[in-house]
Amino acid sequence: MKEIFSQAIQKMKRKDFLDDIVREKTEELSGLSSEVAVLRKKNGGRAGSEIDLKIFQINAKKADIEKLISKCKAEIKTLKAEILELLTDCYAKTDKPEIIAKIESAAYHAFEGKIKLLSDKEAGGLWGDCEIIGAIITHDKKKKNTTAKLVNAGAVNSMGMLLKRPKVYVYVYDKKREEGILLPENDGFKERAKQKKQSELLKYLSETYLNEKVYWALAFVAVYAVFAVWAVLGGFASKVFGELQIRHSLAVGLTLGIFTLATLKTAKRGALADLLPITAVGVSLVAFGCAFGYSDVLRAMLFPSILFVYGLIAVFLRYKWGKEDDKKASHSHLIFIALGIMLAFVFRKMGRAPAAYWITALCTFGVAFIAAPVLSVLKRATCVGKRCELVSLCGFAFCLIMSLLVSSALVSGLFFAGAFITGLAPIAAKYLNERV
């Protein structure tokens, strides 16, 4: 880098010398032009006089000076291009602030403050005004499609117009090739990277949500839609659920948010961590439609708004930073326990609704919480069994809370028995798996 900078300094000295010549000769040329003007005035239009001869000689001298000035300016132009190339090369070969300051000072002197050197970061990096001239293989996914190295700095004029684009190497993620290999590349990389990024997003969405697992989310949304629409059409939605709109909305949003953040680096793709956001969006769309059936529409909009925003943010977080790690627990049981507790409080409020409504809800919960323990044991070695274990935990939380909320000793005892059965099923399934 020192040799390159020295070359730039030598060329700058040569340029300064030529600038002085141009300045001196320009002044001399101006003086000769003035002298010619005076002689012509004295001559008065007479031909063949000594003055005409003198004017001819001065004009010949002016022509020689103009040729010299033109030659100097041509060399200055070439030197400027060479100095800029050398300084941009120097700029890219150091990261020390004091050396960068010297290079920038040299550029200021060489171009009289009319040109400023431009780094890759100032030019916007890979997606900005940088020129890609090569790619470096990396095994670090975080470096994928980022600037690897500045090869040559760029330049802008005093008006901010780009004169020279920074030249960079970019990182390409490829575990099949040896790390650190340099490959030839060009600006076409940007378009290919954009297309690949879009295709990766579509691939992620299709793999995550276009499969049989999404039916669980759709089933939950369908059940919610039945009861939500029923409550609105029956005219008792505000009376039954009005008090829960704020407290439960905030509790649901906080619980789901914490769960997503806690499982961001651990949950498998397509598992509960991915189903919750899509379920939340589905429920929010139904809730938005039902909000107009409440006396306070703005208050009723809080619940679907929280779920909708959570769903979109969670999908983005899972796509952008989600990572599978089988060595860590996903803590999926926590969300089902929280869901069971919330369902218990919601069901308690259903006592104000018509009997047909809360009896239908009780039968729906009953079928789910009876089938889940049975299937969690019988299908313990399958995915269905694993999901039923989670539903059993939800039933355990629901029945346990209900046993504490109801006043009747008989009904409380029945709920407690349900909590015992649903809570015992996952333990039994785990024990039987270990025996096998």
Side-chain angles (χ1 to χ4, degrees):
M1 195 277 291
K2 290 182 180 180
E3 292 181 3
I4 298 173
F5 189 67
S6 295
Q7 290 178 31
I9 297 298
Q10 292 301 318
K11 290 183 181 293
M12 286 169 60
K13 289 179 179 179
R14 173 64 179 172
K15 175 187 168 295
D16 290 342
F17 172 73
L18 294 174
D19 283 336
D20 289 339
I21 293 178
V22 170
R23 188 162 41 253
E24 291 173 3
K25 292 301 179 182
T26 301
E27 291 176 1
E28 186 179 347
L29 192 63
S30 178
L32 292 173
S33 296
S34 299
E35 188 177 346
V36 169
V38 172
L39 290 172
R40 281 179 177 166
K41 192 174 182 182
K42 287 181 178 180
N43 196 24
R46 290 176 296 174
S49 66
E50 292 180 1
I51 294 177
D52 278 342
L53 179 60
K54 196 170 184 179
I55 290 173
F56 176 79
Q57 290 172 342
I58 293 173
N59 283 335
K61 189 175 182 181
K62 281 177 61 180
D64 291 337
I65 292 174
E66 286 173 349
K67 287 180 182 179
L68 178 61
I69 291 174
S70 178
K71 186 178 179 181
C72 289
K73 285 184 175 180
E75 187 176 350
I76 289 171
K77 185 177 180 180
T78 303
L79 285 169
K80 279 185 175 182
E82 292 174 351
I83 290 168
L84 183 60
E85 188 66 31
L86 291 168
L87 291 180
T88 55
D89 193 14
C90 291
Y91 192 98
K93 285 180 166 57
T94 182
D95 56 359
K96 295 181 179 179
E98 62 275 13
I99 298 178
I100 290 176
K102 286 183 179 180
I103 296 170
E104 290 177 340
S105 178
Y108 185 88
H109 173 78
F111 304 106
E112 299 174 352
K114 296 178 181 179
I115 292 179
K116 179 187 175 184
L117 299 182
L118 188 70
S119 69
D120 57 317
K121 292 179 181 178
E122 292 171 321
L126 168 64
W127 306 109
D129 292 320
C130 292
E131 179 184 354
I132 299 172
I133 61 171
I136 298 175
I137 301 297
T138 180
H139 292 174
D140 186 352
K141 201 169 186 178
K142 293 180 181 179
K143 294 180 179 179
K144 179 182 178 182
N145 295 343
T146 59
T147 302
K149 182 182 178 182
L150 176 64
V151 181
N152 278 102
V156 292
N157 63 16
S158 56
M159 302 297 292
M161 185 181 297
L162 190 66
L163 303 177
K164 179 179 170 64
R165 297 165 64 198
K167 296 180 180 179
V168 298
Y169 290 148
V170 294
Y171 278 122
V172 175
Y173 176 74
D174 191 345
K175 281 197 170 183
K176 295 180 180 178
R177 299 189 188 184
E178 184 181 346
E179 190 170 21
I181 293 177
L182 177 62
L183 304 174
E185 194 51 85
N186 54 42
D187 283 340
F189 176 86
K190 296 181 182 181
E191 190 62 33
R192 294 194 299 274
K194 285 181 182 178
Q195 292 175 355
K196 191 174 181 181
K197 193 173 183 181
Q198 292 173 353
S199 64
E200 285 179 354
L201 175 60
L202 294 175
K203 183 180 178 181
Y204 169 80
L205 293 175
S206 63
E207 288 180 352
T208 305
Y209 301 112
L210 298 181
N211 53 57
E212 69 280 358
K213 294 178 182 178
V214 79
Y215 293 137
W216 291 79
L218 295 176
F220 185 91
V221 173
V223 172
Y224 170 79
V226 170
F227 286 99
V229 174
W230 187 354
V232 169
L233 295 179
F236 53 85
S238 294
K239 178 182 177 182
V240 176
F241 304 113
E243 296 177 2
L244 302 176
Q245 286 174 342
I246 294 179
R247 286 181 295 173
H248 270 56
S249 298
L250 297 175
V252 169
L254 184 62
T255 302
L256 294 177
I258 291 174
F259 177 79
T260 294
L261 292 176
T263 59
L264 192 60
K265 300 292 185 180
T266 61
K268 291 183 179 180
R269 181 175 297 180
L272 180 63
D274 286 314
L275 292 180
L276 279 179
I278 198 68
T279 303
V281 171
V283 169
S284 71
L285 295 177
V286 175
F288 273 125
C290 294
F292 298 97
Y294 288 81
S295 56
D296 190 339
V297 177
L298 291 178
R299 183 174 179 174
M301 285 287 186
L302 179 63
F303 176 65
S305 298
I306 289 176
L307 284 187
F308 187 77
V309 172
Y310 157 75
L312 295 183
I313 293 176
V315 169
F316 174 77
L317 291 176
R318 290 287 297 159
Y319 164 69
K320 195 71 177 178
W321 291 289
K323 182 180 179 182
E324 296 184 12
D325 191 346
D326 296 334
K327 296 180 181 179
K328 298 180 181 179
S330 65
H331 308 296
S332 299
H333 58 283
L334 296 178
I335 198 72
F336 274 87
I337 292 174
L339 176 63
I341 295 172
M342 291 179 185
L343 285 177
F345 283 100
V346 172
F347 183 76
R348 185 62 177 161
K349 291 290 182 180
M350 287 182 183
R352 300 179 184 179
Y357 188 84
W358 65 264
I359 289 174
T360 302
L362 181 62
C363 291
T364 302
F365 295 156
V367 170
F369 297 152
I370 290 172
V374 175
L375 291 175
S376 66
V377 175
L378 296 179
K379 302 286 187 179
R380 57 186 179 274
T382 65
C383 292
V384 173
K386 297 296 181 183
R387 295 190 182 92
C388 286
E389 284 184 21
L390 297 175
V391 178
S392 293
L393 288 175
C394 180
F396 166 74
F398 174 83
C399 293
L400 185 62
I401 298 300
M402 285 302 302
S403 69
L404 300 175
L405 292 177
V406 297
S407 55
S408 171
L410 176 61
V411 176
S412 178
L414 291 174
F415 275 116
F416 188 80
F420 177 79
I421 295 171
T422 51
L424 182 63
I427 299 174
K430 185 177 180 180
Y431 173 76
L432 291 173
N433 273 333
E434 290 177 351
R435 286 286 300 273
V436 174

